[in-house]
Amino acid sequence: MDEFSPEDQALIDDIAALVVRRRMTVPAILFIESSRPLSFVGSQFLYFLQPIVGGLIRADQYTRFARLLEDRDNVERLLRAIESADAGHEAR
């Protein structure tokens, strides 16, 4: 896999902010934690769904997110970003 880039971090931060804005922090964390062992399979499923959701989401971001989920370290990064965004949201 390629090196983790600032663009990758920005995408993870955007997804985390979206989760927090929609007040889905706890369900998202529970789902991600419980499906962590299947992160690679989940990323492959995202590739499978790409033609269906292609009209709703920018293709480059969708593909980048699917690629990120192939690495379990990035799943941990996503969890930390959600927790950090939630902590920042609660501080307001």
Side-chain angles (χ1 to χ4, degrees), residues 43-59:
S43 72
Q44 300 307 299
F45 186 65
L46 288 177
Y47 287 121
F48 174 76
L49 291 178
Q50 188 171 9
I52 297 168
V53 298
L56 304 172
I57 301 172
R58 285 186 30 206

Side-chain angles (χ1 to χ4, degrees), residues 1-13:
M1 182 169 155
D2 297 339
E3 194 68 29
F4 190 76
S5 69
E7 291 85 11
D8 294 338
Q9 185 62 51
L11 178 59
I12 284 178
D13 291 340

Side-chain angles (χ1 to χ4, degrees), residues 13-49:
D13 291 340
D14 290 345
I15 292 168
L18 178 68
V19 167
V20 171
R21 267 196 320 271
R22 293 183 184 227
R23 299 178 185 193
M24 298 294 293
T25 302
V26 173
I29 290 173
L30 288 173
F31 176 76
I32 293 168
E33 284 286 354
S34 66
S35 62
R36 185 189 306 234
L38 300 173
S39 64
F40 181 77
V41 174
S43 72
Q44 300 307 299
F45 186 65
L46 288 177
Y47 287 121
F48 174 76
L49 291 178

